Amino acid sequence: MSSFREKLKSQGLSDNTVDSYSKVIKQMGRKDPVRWLEEKIDQSTPIGTVLPFRSAVKHYLITIKGFSPEDAEEVLPKCKGLPCRLRDSLSDEQLDFYKQEVRSLSEPVRTILLLLPETGMRISEICGLRRTDYGKRQNIRGFLFRGKRNKQRFIPLNPRAQEIIEGYLTGTDEEEEWLFPSYKGKCVTPANIRRYTRRIATDNDIFEELSPHILRHTFATRALRNGIDLKTLQVLLGHSDIQTTSRYLHPDAEALIDAIKDL
């Protein structure tokens, strides 16, 4: 398993992806990879669950079994399953309520949760930021870092996000490596942040569901409403394929209500 992890890391995959794929292969055990995947794929299983399984097995066949990418693709079964459920973004009322709830939390959780709907960043990206990732590019403040698949990304910050991060930095140690350190000396983990969003949703009936991904979706929905074109949004979200970005084009619940209220 250690050799599998090291080979994934050498390909530039993020720590979270390496952890995810390693867990899948550990679950597979000594079973035949292709047969195991065939057993996992079912039309009643969400496609969002099936795809990571398939990707993990494909990487395993290539890195451990010596398959070429083409040969691995040929032997693996095609994915089928339930389409991913569309997730609504937060309404303006929900977003305002969310920010009020978050402002009472301790740092660095407070700043992370305030920045998520302002930047559209993945939770793994924002948790893994270093202090040196924050700075200026062409006189625009933002985060410059290595994102998914080790690709360099620049996230410009709007005035609200700049105010949030500058206020946070005022009370922090300039010698600290991580922008959002934990008490263990490492960075805050995505799992820890998800616990807070689940708690907020559980404690407040205004939210049907709340997660870092919904906050990312909220950013994308609001950006589209404000006239940002799909290609620009693709860059901001760090998608390699514009088809992935196009999933955010479906009207959210609030937009549908606005469309019919005057009929």
Side-chain angles (χ1 to χ4, degrees):
M1 182 62 70
S2 60
S3 61
F4 180 59
R5 292 182 63 90
E6 291 305 316
K7 289 181 179 180
L8 290 179
K9 287 184 178 180
S10 69
Q11 295 173 16
L13 298 180
S14 70
D15 290 342
N16 283 336
T17 301
V18 171
D19 289 343
S20 177
Y21 287 0
S22 297
K23 288 177 182 177
V24 171
I25 299 307
K26 184 177 181 180
Q27 182 181 344
M28 182 182 72
R30 296 181 177 275
K31 295 181 180 179
D32 176 81
V34 177
R35 187 167 300 173
W36 178 83
L37 183 60
E38 289 174 340
E39 293 173 355
K40 287 292 179 184
I41 294 178
D42 187 273
Q43 287 186 343
S44 63
T45 304
I47 194 71
T49 300
V50 172
L51 288 174
F53 283 173
R54 191 179 192 275
S55 294
V57 172
K58 182 177 179 179
H59 276 85
Y60 179 80
L61 291 177
I62 294 170
T63 59
I64 302 300
K65 296 298 185 180
F67 281 59
S68 69
E70 294 76 17
D71 288 342
E73 188 64 38
E74 185 174 339
V75 300
L76 289 175
K78 300 298 181 184
C79 280
K80 56 185 177 181
L82 295 175
C84 295
R85 182 171 61 86
L86 293 176
R87 296 178 176 179
D88 282 340
S89 61
L90 299 185
S91 67
D92 290 343
E93 179 187 9
Q94 288 174 321
L95 185 58
D96 288 342
F97 188 93
Y98 164 81
K99 290 178 180 179
Q100 291 299 322
E101 289 292 297
V102 167
R103 287 191 176 98
S104 64
L105 299 176
S106 59
E107 297 290 10
V109 173
R110 174 185 180 276
T111 293
I112 292 174
L113 289 176
L114 286 175
L115 284 176
L116 284 173
E118 299 291 349
T119 63
M121 294 175 68
R122 299 179 178 92
I123 184 59
S124 59
E125 293 174 339
I126 200 166
C127 285
L129 287 171
R130 289 173 165 80
R131 289 184 72 95
T132 53
D133 292 333
Y134 176 62
K136 284 186 177 181
R137 186 175 182 180
Q138 297 179 356
N139 292 321
I140 300 174
R141 290 195 177 276
F143 298 124
L144 180 62
F145 61 99
R146 293 285 174 181
K148 196 172 182 181
R149 296 185 180 88
N150 207 30
K151 293 181 179 178
Q152 192 175 61
R153 289 186 63 199
F154 177 69
I155 302 295
L157 300 182
N158 63 33
R160 289 187 301 275
Q162 288 184 39
E163 183 179 350
I164 291 167
I165 193 64
E166 290 292 342
Y168 166 75
L169 288 174
T170 301
T172 60
D173 182 3
E174 293 182 4
E175 301 300 318
E176 176 63 55
E177 175 187 4
W178 301 104
L179 185 58
F180 302 116
S182 70
Y183 66 92
K184 296 181 179 180
K186 298 182 179 180
C187 59
V188 171
T189 65
N192 188 35
I193 301 302
R194 290 189 182 97
R195 280 195 289 270
Y196 280 92
T197 55
R198 284 197 296 268
R199 186 184 306 168
I200 292 171
T202 301
D203 293 345
N204 298 281
D205 292 339
I206 193 173
F207 302 109
E208 182 177 341
E209 187 179 4
L210 184 64
S211 69
H213 188 75
I214 287 178
L215 297 171
R216 177 169 159 86
H217 195 134
T218 299
F219 168 83
T221 301
R222 291 168 67 85
L224 287 169
R225 277 196 215 152
N226 288 331
I228 290 181
D229 64 272
L230 197 60
K231 191 66 179 177
T232 301
L233 183 60
Q234 178 190 359
V235 175
L236 289 173
L237 294 176
H239 290 154
S240 57
D241 187 350
I242 200 168
Q243 292 300 317
T244 305
T245 315
S246 67
R247 296 173 186 171
Y248 294 96
L249 282 174
H250 80 280
D252 62 298
E254 190 173 25
L256 291 173
I257 292 170
D258 286 343
I260 66 170
K261 65 183 181 182
D262 293 328
L263 292 180

